Amino acid sequence: MRGLRGRLRILASIAILVAIAVAVFYPQAAWNAIQLPLFAVFSTTRMVFAYLLSLVFAITYGATAATNKRAAVIMLPILDVLQSVPILGFFPAALVFFVVTFQGSPVGIELAVIFLIFTSMAWNMAFGVYESLTTIPVDLEAAAASFGLRGMLRFRLLALPAAIPKLVYNSILSWSNGWFFLVASETFTAFGGTYTRPGLGSFITNAGLAGDATGIALGIGVLAAVVLALDTIVWRPLGVWSERFRMETTGHEVPRVPSPYERFRWLPRFPRLRRTFWASAQPVVTRYRRASVRLDRTYSAHPKVLRDIRFLDLAMFAVILLLVVVAGVFGLARLFLSPLPPAAAELPRAAASSFVRLALAYAIALAWTIPLAAWIGRSPRGSRYLTPVLEVAASLPATALLPIIVGFAILVTASLGPAAEVSAVLIALFSMQWYLLFNLIAGVRAIPDDLNEAARSFGLRGRAYWRRVLLPGMVPSLLTGSITAWGAGWNALIVSEYIPFLNPPPHVSGLGYLLDIATFNKPLPDNEMILLTILTMIVIVLAMNKLLWRPLYKRASVKYRVEV
Amino acid sequence: MEPSLLEVKDVLKSYFENGKEFKVLDLIRFELAERDFVCVVGPSGCGKSTLLRIIVGLEPPTSGQVLFEGSPIRADNPQVAMVFQSFALFPWLTVTQNVELGLEAQGIPPEGRHARARKFIDAVGLTGFENAFPRELSGGMKQRVGLARALAIEPLLLCMDEPFSSLDPLTAQNLRDEILQLWANPDLPPKAVLMVTHSIEEAVYLADRVIVLSSRPGRMVAELEIDLPRPRNRKEPEFYGWVDEIYSLIV
Amino acid sequence: MSNTGDDDGRKTPVKDFHSMAKVSVGQILGLVEAVDEVGGLADAATISREVEMDVDRLGPILTAAEFLGLVTIEDGDIRITELSRKLLTANVRERKRIVREIIDDMPAFRLVMEMARSSGAPLGRQQVVQALADRVGSHQAEDVFNALVYWGRYAELVRYDSGSEQLTVRIAQT
Ligand SMILES: Nc1ncnc2c1ncn2[C@@H]1O[C@H](COP(=O)(O)OP(=O)(O)O)[C@@H](O)[C@H]1O
Ligand SMILES: [Mg+2]
């Protein structure tokens, strides 16, 4: 309740301040503001399409992997790679594909944007579905089987509900990821031209390009408002609602699952209207249910046909996979058999400087998030007042802050070269820090009260308390946060190392820069370099995951797990 | 002699791990007729749950056969219903919806479903809780839902896997008595009950016949007719005689 | 019936209802059966041993059973009452009726009936908890509310929808 009020109050204050500033100083900018709601609708629509696509993908992919052990052997590693690879790296390639296929028509660009957002949402949702379906309690499965639940009925009554908690949780993450990519993709310069689709992201970018400070502020303000509004009226209630689908633990306390819109009780609720709506919707729902049951029975009457369809399905999947693998191997072979392009010599140095940049941003992020998380996690007051502010700040995708960050960097360093360096690190910082902060806060909160009290009663204070209680308690969440943060960091490189909108474009050496110029800087994309750069990134990311984060995580989960 | 409802013929079950065989059940053989209340007792891990899963068709035996009314068993056989130790209720469905689960799968239209669900919800004493979710119920109430759900498909055979093991002793005793009350009513299904438990007292308290399994691999040690009159009193020496006898068979 | 002291005597009984919050129907019936089985009279230690529950867990059940008038406790001796004997021979449906007759004129239920009558509409959870909090303090109000819903549902006195969190009083069956 307080969180909500706090957020609303902050939102209102921001809106009022911005409105006053606009009205007083820039009456002409008011014209811009009129377009913004429409742009917000455009951007949100793109997000919704991408999300629905991801949802369908996640459910089918996750369910197939969970029910078909043989398919899972290949499907899971693919998902794993896709999830940990910097997706933005594929954007250029996807763009080329869509733009060429649709001959530069807006439809192609829209599809490219939606596809990009999709790639930032889909994988962890699919994992969520897979994990939920494979962890359904044995007895529940047995009950479903022995009471004859099959096909759609089993899906509706068992599989889908069981997947809902993780699906909703991962959807929330995916959705906020999506904003980052939305802003990054609504405007881009390629093949000697600039493609723009109307939306909040392109509005902010264009304002930045024109040096229009109010435009930037307005755009960012509206984006923040949209993100927070959707969060408040859609995602949070969904999160609360998804609690109903949690498997019971053996605890004896009866957990109360409040109504998802409990915090909105004060709003008018139109009971008559709602009843009328449900009354008219009910026949449709009933008809759908009956039809699905009938369909089920028809299906299960022909188990052989069903098996054949499944087999065909699997065969098709295998063929597509084979084609992809063959094409990939072929491409790679061609790449490495022919002499490497001269630009490839830059790869090691670029990789090193990108890595150093991310490491620097990571260090800065750690330096401020650990103490702050330690304080917020233990102080109810701090949490009450600061959390809403931090949530507003975190709701802004780093890509939207790009114009501000670049402007700030130029202001501070007063010359383009160092400015590019500073802004690249800052953008990486802004993409990484929130994952660390919120994970760490959760980690601190998860330290049991008993442990804190025991520590206090034994006189652990100051540094000893940090060393013995707080830091160890933070380790698991620190690692979780770090994995996500580094993933976000690699994506940020692609937008931060080369900013094509400015003239001359500021840039720093790095993998993101190499990728960008290979794609956009020539009349035709340099396929060899694109492939080589993405490969380098993938190798680094996978190596870090496999050699650094996973082993650390495994050790930490044994050593620091707090028994409950 | 009545015709056999269920025939378990030389069932043997092994799990294979890294090419090594772990035998869980060894040559289990018994029959169930109408109006039989049979308990299978054995120490934990002797394969009781596995046996029950095989009998209801959730798992195939390594060798041997399970015949229900003369033909091989199928998992979704509506003549056989199952009650689980962990209740296995769907947390997102209300009591009524949980009870209607099997009926919905059989394609019974809503009106018929509701009526049938109401009847069995009432029979187990859950009227008033129709729209409650499992998390709002006490353990005993949850198992009543499990029971109503099983009875609602009007099965010939009711299989129960340690249905009282997750309950506190008081609730368990109360539920045992209520199950006996239901069993004494010939108008209600099922025609026969097969229950699995690790508690010898419970088996002697409930069953007409007790099948005793040895520890791993589960082997049939004895099959005993418990001819104590009902209601049984757990304080009587005859009762204790049976408990002691079975106890000595297991150890 | 034991009455722990409270500064407002009129409101004390609602608070007593709190003893039934963490206790289920099955436990109380199980306890009555257990005492009956050893002859209808036993000391708490014997029962505790008999049913393999320590006094810590048995305590609330004993208190609730006493509160319902199903047992009397004197000097640690538990004795079942006439009401219990009726309960023991009853079938599932009759048991519900007996419990209903015991609890339907308890202050907590009367309060809800009163509220329902005067509002003429389903009662919101918050509304009832608030009214209870005025009598038993906010600390116990939630517990009493849960007990009210659980026992009220069992005795078929109330309907509760946890989705909309609305409590309805069922037409009194006499
Ligand atoms: N899927 C399986 N794979 C390997 N071993 C199993 C499997 N299921 C059960 N077992 C083993 O079979 C034995 C019997 O299990 P179970 O039937 O659950 O015993 P009970 O119900 O009598 O306690 C156990 O020792 C268990 O480890
Ligand atoms: Mg078992």
Side-chain angles (χ1 to χ4, degrees):
Chain A
M1 200 70 190
R2 258 190 213 107
L4 174 72
R5 284 226 190 103
R7 286 144 62 88
L8 286 179
R9 209 176 299 142
I10 287 168
L11 264 183
S13 337
I14 291 176
I16 291 169
L17 284 180
V18 170
I20 291 173
V22 169
V24 173
F25 297 109
Y26 303 94
Q28 149 270 350
W31 163 238
N32 272 349
I34 295 171
Q35 311 171 23
L36 275 171
L38 195 64
F39 284 0
V41 172
F42 286 154
S43 291
T44 311
T45 310
R46 271 171 215 131
M47 291 282 285
V48 170
F49 271 116
Y51 176 73
L52 292 179
L53 214 59
S54 308
L55 200 60
V56 172
F57 170 82
I59 291 173
T60 45
Y61 198 94
T64 312
T67 45
N68 192 323
K69 287 214 176 68
R70 251 172 299 172
V73 174
I74 15 178
M75 289 173 86
L76 289 183
I78 292 179
L79 210 54
D80 199 23
V81 171
L82 285 173
Q83 192 183 25
S84 44
V85 145
I87 301 146
L88 215 45
F90 291 107
F91 185 44
L95 203 63
V96 171
F97 172 78
F98 281 107
V99 170
V100 169
T101 311
F102 289 85
Q103 297 168 340
S105 87
V107 180
I109 304 171
E110 283 294 351
L111 286 180
V113 172
I114 290 175
F115 176 76
L116 178 76
I117 302 173
F118 163 82
T119 58
S120 72
M121 289 178 164
W123 324 128
N124 73 342
M125 287 166 63
F127 256 123
V129 172
Y130 171 78
E131 278 171 14
S132 320
L133 294 191
T134 45
T135 51
I136 293 177
V138 189
D139 276 358
L140 218 52
E141 293 266 16
S146 73
F147 285 104
L149 297 189
R150 271 186 251 97
M152 273 314 283
L153 200 60
R154 186 183 177 282
F155 177 74
R156 180 160 64 78
L157 293 180
L158 179 65
L160 187 62
I164 280 178
K166 279 212 173 96
L167 196 54
V168 169
Y169 181 81
N170 286 350
S171 293
I172 294 173
L173 293 181
S174 287
W175 184 263
S176 76
N177 257 348
W179 287 115
F180 180 96
F181 290 88
L182 174 95
V183 176
S185 61
E186 277 182 353
T187 301
F188 48 87
T189 310
F191 326 126
T194 298
Y195 295 78
T196 296
R197 296 307 303 149
L200 289 178
S202 53
F203 181 89
I204 296 170
T205 313
N206 289 338
L209 208 53
D212 170 11
T214 34
I216 297 175
L218 262 179
I220 292 179
V222 172
L223 180 62
V226 171
V227 173
L228 286 174
L230 287 175
D231 193 39
T232 320
I233 61 173
V234 178
W235 293 114
R236 271 161 198 260
L238 263 182
V240 174
W241 173 78
S242 73
E243 288 295 313
R244 297 180 182 197
F245 297 87
R246 237 171 243 298
M247 298 291 168
E248 279 185 84
T249 47
T250 39
H252 288 293
E253 282 300 300
V254 182
R256 175 175 161 245
V257 180
S259 147
Y261 285 98
E262 176 153 288
R263 305 191 309 166
F264 299 98
R265 278 274 153 85
W266 43 276
L267 285 176
R269 291 199 282 162
F270 309 109
R272 275 257 291 288
L273 199 69
R274 278 197 324 197
R275 261 201 303 278
T276 326
F277 172 76
W278 280 117
S280 57
Q282 206 56 52
V284 182
V285 174
T286 314
R287 205 167 329 141
Y288 162 76
R289 286 197 174 167
R290 286 209 186 137
S292 82
V293 170
R294 222 169 14 239
L295 205 66
D296 268 350
R297 258 179 303 153
T298 330
Y299 268 148
S300 49
H302 307 282
K304 199 178 145 336
V305 177
L306 212 62
R307 227 175 308 130
D308 288 351
I309 292 176
R310 282 210 145 187
F311 179 76
L312 219 65
D313 227 30
L314 210 64
M316 222 154 72
F317 181 75
V319 166
I320 292 173
L321 193 82
L322 200 70
L323 282 178
V324 171
V325 169
V326 166
V329 169
F330 211 67
L332 284 184
R334 232 186 34 199
L335 184 69
F336 286 110
L337 285 181
S338 61
L340 288 178
E346 293 176 41
L347 276 172
R349 211 174 68 88
S353 51
S354 284
F355 182 83
V356 170
R357 204 164 288 129
L358 289 184
L360 185 62
Y362 179 66
I364 298 173
L366 281 187
W368 77 268
T369 52
I370 290 182
L372 188 66
W375 183 65
I376 291 181
R378 288 177 305 148
S379 145
R381 222 155 48 111
S383 151
R384 189 184 319 148
Y385 293 112
L386 221 50
T387 309
V389 180
L390 290 170
E391 278 176 359
V392 173
S395 72
L396 289 170
T399 39
L401 299 176
L402 198 81
I404 298 185
I405 291 176
V406 174
F408 170 79
I410 293 178
L411 205 72
V412 173
T413 57
S415 73
L416 217 50
E421 220 22 283
V422 170
S423 74
V425 173
L426 279 179
I427 291 166
L429 173 66
F430 270 81
S431 328
M432 294 170 109
Q433 60 192 4
W434 305 118
Y435 293 110
L436 286 173
L437 181 69
F438 290 112
N439 269 299
L440 285 173
I441 292 177
V444 174
R445 289 219 176 109
I447 298 175
D449 286 340
D450 286 357
L451 210 60
N452 274 324
E453 273 162 26
R456 212 169 311 134
S457 73
F458 287 116
L460 276 185
R461 258 190 209 95
R463 293 203 17 198
Y465 174 70
W466 273 81
R467 264 223 343 265
R468 292 278 170 249
V469 181
L470 218 45
L471 288 179
M474 282 179 166
V475 165
S477 57
L478 174 68
L479 288 175
T480 320
S482 298
I483 296 173
T484 334
W486 274 85
W490 286 106
N491 275 315
L493 284 182
I494 292 155
V495 291
S496 69
E497 290 184 343
Y498 177 74
I499 295 150
F501 317 115
L502 296 186
N503 209 358
H507 67 85
V508 291
S509 92
L511 289 177
Y513 168 66
L514 283 186
L515 188 65
D516 284 334
I517 54 164
T519 317
F520 300 129
N521 221 11
K522 312 209 171 94
L524 273 179
D526 179 353
N527 285 329
E528 273 174 312
M529 272 311 287
I530 292 179
L531 207 56
L532 277 175
T533 321
I534 296 180
L535 271 181
T536 313
M537 258 193 222
I538 291 178
V539 168
I540 297 176
V541 171
L542 289 185
M544 269 183 83
N545 279 355
K546 294 269 179 274
L547 302 179
L548 183 68
W549 298 123
R550 295 260 166 100
L552 276 180
Y553 194 80
K554 227 177 236 163
R555 276 191 44 191
S557 59
V558 175
K559 191 169 169 194
Y560 294 118
R561 209 184 59 207
V562 180
E563 313 274 335
V564 279
Chain B
M1 176 90 193
E2 298 213 28
S4 294
L5 193 63
L6 178 82
E7 278 176 82
V8 179
K9 294 170 112 177
D10 299 331
V11 161
L12 189 146
K13 180 78 185 178
S14 299
Y15 289 107
F16 294 89
E17 251 165 52
N18 310 324
K20 263 172 71 184
E21 181 179 357
F22 294 92
K23 198 179 264 183
V24 176
L25 289 170
D26 198 4
L27 290 183
I28 308 293
R29 179 188 315 154
F30 63 89
E31 291 185 12
L32 232 72
E34 289 201 0
R35 295 311 294 170
D36 265 348
F37 195 130
V38 173
C39 279
V40 176
V41 275
S44 286
C46 76
K48 302 182 298 291
S49 297
T50 311
L51 177 62
L52 216 52
R53 289 173 64 86
I54 292 173
I55 286 173
V56 301
L58 287 169
E59 231 173 288
T62 309
S63 74
Q65 222 183 357
V66 177
L67 299 180
F68 184 78
E69 293 190 307
S71 46
I73 191 83
R74 277 187 15 234
D76 53 0
N77 186 339
Q79 311 292 331
V80 182
M82 179 98 165
V83 170
F84 298 85
Q85 177 177 357
S86 62
F87 318 131
L89 303 180
F90 290 40
W92 41 82
L93 300 182
T94 62
V95 168
T96 304
Q97 289 167 333
N98 265 295
V99 173
E100 285 180 2
L101 212 60
L103 307 176
E104 197 168 352
Q106 288 174 22
I108 296 175
E111 303 74 41
R113 245 169 28 214
H114 298 334
R116 190 104 73 88
R118 235 191 334 267
K119 173 178 164 193
F120 287 97
I121 285 174
D122 195 48
V124 300
L126 277 175
T127 309
F129 290 92
E130 291 90 342
N131 64 353
F133 286 92
R135 79 181 95 82
E136 300 170 64
L137 304 178
S138 57
M141 295 285 183
K142 283 183 194 151
Q143 196 55 296
R144 277 166 221 259
V145 180
L147 192 62
R149 178 175 67 179
L151 295 179
I153 63 173
E154 301 190 339
L156 294 179
L157 172 64
L158 177 67
C159 291
M160 302 197 275
D161 187 357
E162 310 226 13
F164 310 110
S165 298
S166 315
L167 306 174
D168 67 72
L170 289 177
T171 310
Q173 186 51 33
N174 171 239
L175 197 55
R176 276 182 213 120
D177 285 333
E178 291 197 4
I179 282 184
L180 286 179
Q181 269 190 20
L182 288 173
W183 175 239
N185 181 351
D187 296 338
L188 288 178
K191 290 278 175 266
V193 178
L194 177 62
M195 188 180 121
V196 144
T197 175
H198 68 263
S199 157
I200 298 169
E201 266 198 52
E202 185 173 290
V204 176
Y205 187 72
L206 293 172
D208 303 319
R209 187 144 54 92
V210 173
I211 292 169
V212 186
L213 295 189
S214 65
S215 59
R216 303 192 59 169
R219 230 181 243 120
M220 280 181 65
V221 180
E223 195 169 347
L224 309 163
E225 298 276 345
I226 311 290
D227 50 9
L228 294 172
R230 296 173 189 275
R232 293 173 183 166
N233 188 325
R234 291 171 300 171
K235 291 284 157 295
E236 281 169 9
E238 292 91 335
F239 187 93
Y240 257 85
W242 279 112
V243 174
D244 286 343
E245 182 177 345
I246 297 175
Y247 198 75
S248 62
L249 281 169
I250 290 182
V251 279
Chain C
M1 210 176 289
S2 76
N3 246 341
T4 43
D6 195 296
D7 38 29
D8 188 348
R10 193 177 54 85
K11 291 171 182 175
T12 309
V14 180
K15 186 166 185 165
D16 254 19
F17 192 70
H18 172 246
S19 68
M20 291 171 60
K22 300 261 151 73
V23 173
S24 71
V25 182
Q27 288 174 322
I28 288 183
L29 291 172
L31 174 77
V32 173
E33 282 172 36
V35 179
D36 178 56
E37 210 171 27
V38 292
L41 171 71
D43 62 38
T46 312
I47 291 298
S48 163
R49 205 165 343 106
E50 205 56 50
V51 302
E52 294 162 9
M53 277 171 102
D54 52 34
V55 184
D56 222 32
R57 288 170 67 202
L58 208 55
I61 304 170
L62 279 171
T63 314
E66 189 187 21
F67 179 63
L68 289 173
L70 295 173
V71 300
T72 56
I73 306 175
E74 262 168 58
D75 303 331
D77 279 340
I78 306 163
R79 187 191 299 273
I80 58 173
T81 62
E82 228 13 75
L83 201 54
S84 290
R85 294 194 196 284
K86 241 169 66 189
L87 206 57
L88 283 168
T89 51
N91 68 25
V92 172
R93 221 159 300 147
E94 291 160 357
R95 283 179 177 175
K96 285 171 89 101
R97 191 180 47 73
I98 296 171
V99 172
R100 176 163 61 237
E101 281 166 8
I102 302 175
I103 64 175
D104 68 356
D105 57 13
M106 283 184 177
F109 277 99
R110 278 213 306 264
L111 172 74
V112 174
M113 306 280 169
E114 202 62 45
M115 286 176 72
R117 210 179 354 257
S118 62
S119 90
L123 301 170
R125 179 183 195 281
Q126 221 43 54
Q127 194 183 346
V128 179
V129 171
Q130 197 55 53
L132 290 172
D134 290 344
R135 286 163 178 75
V136 303
S138 57
H139 190 64
Q140 290 187 344
E142 299 267 339
D143 274 352
V144 174
F145 180 80
N146 287 341
L148 207 74
V149 168
Y150 178 83
W151 286 93
R153 274 170 159 171
Y154 175 76
E156 298 171 34
L157 287 168
V158 305
R159 257 184 258 275
Y160 181 66
D161 181 342
S162 61
S164 61
E165 303 200 314
Q166 298 219 313
L167 189 82
T168 331
V169 172
R170 297 175 75 144
I171 314 297
Q173 298 112 326
T174 36

